[in-house]
């Protein structure tokens, strides 16, 4: 019963937003809970072109895609080394990264702004990509560290006996074996970075490089004054669709990765 109520609380607002994006402004206010008399798919076209949702979406894909590549590569490398190679300071590095998950990001915004500005990366794609990657790295290491510890050591030892280097064992053996965990943490990072608003709000002041969260906030203000609520709902649905599609496609891998990483 609790799960049913939770499913309704999550699903109904999403369905209402989709239905509202296909209505006229008059229908949204006069009959907010009814189906549209005639679906208005031109709302989506207007939001994509006139409200610049297409440009915001492309900016988000560039930033989140670049950040995911860096996060998954360096996160997997760090997690593997911390999980499989004992060395002095191993636990210190690990717990320092874990502590980074507990640090509220808004406390670092002011010094982060000055650091990025002094590096000449304020309002740039690469500046935002590096900050996103650093933001997601602690969780990635924490998640994959536990996953790499569950992988059998016999396979790696056999590869070393056959003459494989440490890099070859990692890229050719351990990474493929860790695929469920990589997919799981990749989806979690994708969801978190896709919906990120605070970091780009401070570090990305250029309107031409706005990501979706910034673009939707700007659209909510501008479309609200223009009373184009149907266009606002259409832009919101366009922003939700990539996340929804990613979860639907990879939900089984997420579940398998969580359960595999939890059992030793």
């Amino acid at each position: 019963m609790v799960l049913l109520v939770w499913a309704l609380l999550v699903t109904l607002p999403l369905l209402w937003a989709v239905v509202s994006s296909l209505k006229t402004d008059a229908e949204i206010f006069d009959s907010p809970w009814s189906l549209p008399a005639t679906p208005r798919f031109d709302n989506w076209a207007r939001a994509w072109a006139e409200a610049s949702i297409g440009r915001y979406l492309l900016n988000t894909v560039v930033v989140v895609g670049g950040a995911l590549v860096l996060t998954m590569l360096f996160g997997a490398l760090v997690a593997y080394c911390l999980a499989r190679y004992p060395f002095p300071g191993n636990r210190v590095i690990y717990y320092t990264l874990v502590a980074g998950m507990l640090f509220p990001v808004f406390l670092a915004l002011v010094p982060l702004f000055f650091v990025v500005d002094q590096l000449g990366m304020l309002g740039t794609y690469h500046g935002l990509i590096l900050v996103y990657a650093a933001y997601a790295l602690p969780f990635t290491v924490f998640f994959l560290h536990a996953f790499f510890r569950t992988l059998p050591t016999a396979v790696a030892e056999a590869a070393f006996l056959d003459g494989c280097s440490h890099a070859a064992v990692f890229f050719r053996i351990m990474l493929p074996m860790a695929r469920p965990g990589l997919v799981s943490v990749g989806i979690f990072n994708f969801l978190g970075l896709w919906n990120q608003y605070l970091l780009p709000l401070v570090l990305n002041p250029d309107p031409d490089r706005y990501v979706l969260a910034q673009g939707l906030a700007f659209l909510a203000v501008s479309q609200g004054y223009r009373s184009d609520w149907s266009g606002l709902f259409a832009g919101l649905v366009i922003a939700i669709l990539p996340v929804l599609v990613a979860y639907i496609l990879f939900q089984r891998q997420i579940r398998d990765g969580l359960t595999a990483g939890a059992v030793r």
Side-chain angles (χ1 to χ4, degrees):
M1 183 62 183
V2 175
L3 292 177
L4 178 61
V5 173
W6 177 254
L8 291 175
L9 290 175
V10 172
T11 306
L12 287 179
L14 178 62
L15 293 177
W16 183 68
V18 173
V19 171
S20 298
S21 70
L22 300 174
K23 292 181 176 181
T24 63
D25 291 334
E27 288 177 322
I28 291 175
F29 286 99
D30 294 341
S31 53
W33 304 110
S34 64
L35 295 175
T38 302
R40 299 291 300 272
F41 292 100
D42 59 302
N43 293 338
W44 292 35
R46 189 171 68 254
W48 182 271
E50 297 181 13
S52 301
I53 291 296
R55 185 175 75 242
Y56 302 148
L57 181 64
L58 179 61
N59 292 340
T60 307
V61 169
V62 171
V63 172
V64 174
L68 273 180
V69 171
L70 291 179
T71 302
M72 298 306 297
L73 175 60
F74 292 113
L77 283 168
V78 173
Y80 177 73
C81 291
L82 293 177
R84 313 293 290 209
Y85 296 97
F87 57 88
N90 182 301
R91 294 292 86 188
V92 174
I93 297 174
Y94 175 71
Y95 287 119
T96 301
L97 288 169
V98 172
M101 297 171 55
L102 307 176
F103 190 80
V105 66
F106 59 84
L107 294 180
L109 287 177
V110 174
L112 188 60
F113 172 85
F114 286 109
V115 169
V116 175
D117 187 30
Q118 290 174 2
L119 291 174
M121 295 188 296
L122 193 66
T124 63
Y125 289 131
H126 56 280
L128 203 55
I129 287 172
L130 291 175
V131 172
Y132 271 26
Y135 172 79
L137 195 61
F139 172 73
T140 304
V141 173
F142 172 75
F143 188 98
L144 292 179
H145 178 271
F147 198 90
F148 278 122
R149 289 175 65 89
T150 65
L151 299 181
T153 58
V155 179
E157 291 172 353
F160 285 130
L161 292 175
D162 288 339
C164 277
S165 64
H166 290 277
V169 169
F170 174 71
F171 286 106
R172 298 175 60 182
I173 297 174
M174 288 303 180
L175 273 188
M177 292 176 63
R179 182 175 177 272
L182 293 171
V183 172
S184 298
V185 75
I187 293 298
F188 286 132
N189 283 332
F190 171 77
L191 296 177
L193 297 179
W194 188 272
N195 297 317
Q196 182 60 240
Y197 176 68
L198 197 58
L199 289 175
L201 179 66
V202 175
L203 304 175
N204 189 32
D206 186 356
D208 291 333
R209 291 189 171 90
Y210 274 0
V211 296
L212 267 175
Q214 289 176 285
L216 287 175
F218 176 76
L219 184 62
V221 175
S222 62
Q223 300 298 76
Y225 285 119
R226 293 171 53 189
S227 298
D228 188 5
W229 296 101
S230 57
L232 176 59
F233 276 111
L236 178 63
V237 172
I238 293 173
I240 292 173
L241 281 178
V243 177
L244 187 62
V245 170
Y247 180 78
I248 291 174
L249 291 178
F250 295 103
Q251 58 179 323
R252 185 175 62 83
Q253 287 86 343
I254 294 175
R255 183 177 64 251
D256 293 344
L258 289 175
T259 54
V263 179
R264 188 174 178 82

